[in-house]
Amino acid sequence: MRRAVCPGSFDPITNGHLDIIVRASRLFDEVVVAVLINKSKANLFTVDERIDLIREAVRSHPAAPANVVVDSSHGLLVDFCRVRGIQSIVKGLRAVSDFDYELQMAQMNHSLAGVETLFMSTNPQYAFLSSSLVKEVARYGGEVSGLVPDVVLKGLRDRSGS
Ligand code: PNS
């Protein structure tokens, strides 16, 4: 079985992430979306909330791919891959500015465990999008519909009390 992982913090998932996940689901038998837990980051949503938001976003997508599963991990991504029998990591690249760090991580993951990283170009519609920017705009009452799945929009509104 050809399995890939789409890893990230997903705090919260954006339409840019979702686009990559759905496109990856057409290329692999199974895509595991891995919410990686980074204790040094201050997060808006808990890990369980992030997992639920991703599951609902995938379920509500027009393609609703059935071969996407969602999980979380505390440790190294390559250990997660080893335990799950995952051969490939799929990452979206928005711009050249993403590339340096992504290349470093790809090379480190390959040298640690021989896991390959495949870069997918982000849909230009979402090239400027990041979870951090979405949170900032939403915090100050800006409009983020169209940038995040509806379930996330509701989560952000609940958080801001509007
Ligand atoms: O959404 P993010 O925060 O940009 O995702 C970064 C992430 C979670 C994919 C990366 O930090 C990661 O893989 N973390 C897991 C720990 C790990 O394996 N670190 C070594 C990377 S070479």
Side-chain angles (χ1 to χ4, degrees), residues 76-144:
L76 282 178
L77 180 57
V78 289
D79 290 335
F80 182 85
C81 291
R82 202 176 291 135
V83 170
R84 290 287 208 130
I86 294 169
Q87 308 88 359
S88 311
I89 299 166
V90 174
K91 288 289 200 77
L93 276 187
R94 290 167 297 193
V96 177
S97 50
D98 282 343
F99 186 70
D100 278 352
Y101 187 47
E102 290 296 343
L103 181 64
Q104 250 186 312
M105 285 199 285
Q107 290 170 332
M108 176 62 89
N109 286 330
H110 190 264
S111 100
L112 286 172
V115 180
E116 298 290 357
T117 298
L118 308 176
F119 294 117
M120 203 175 260
S121 57
T122 295
N123 184 329
Q125 203 182 338
Y126 306 125
F128 59 93
L129 206 47
S130 70
S131 300
S132 321
L133 266 188
V134 162
K135 281 184 284 190
E136 184 170 330
V137 172
R139 189 182 318 130
Y140 292 108
E143 185 55 62
V144 292

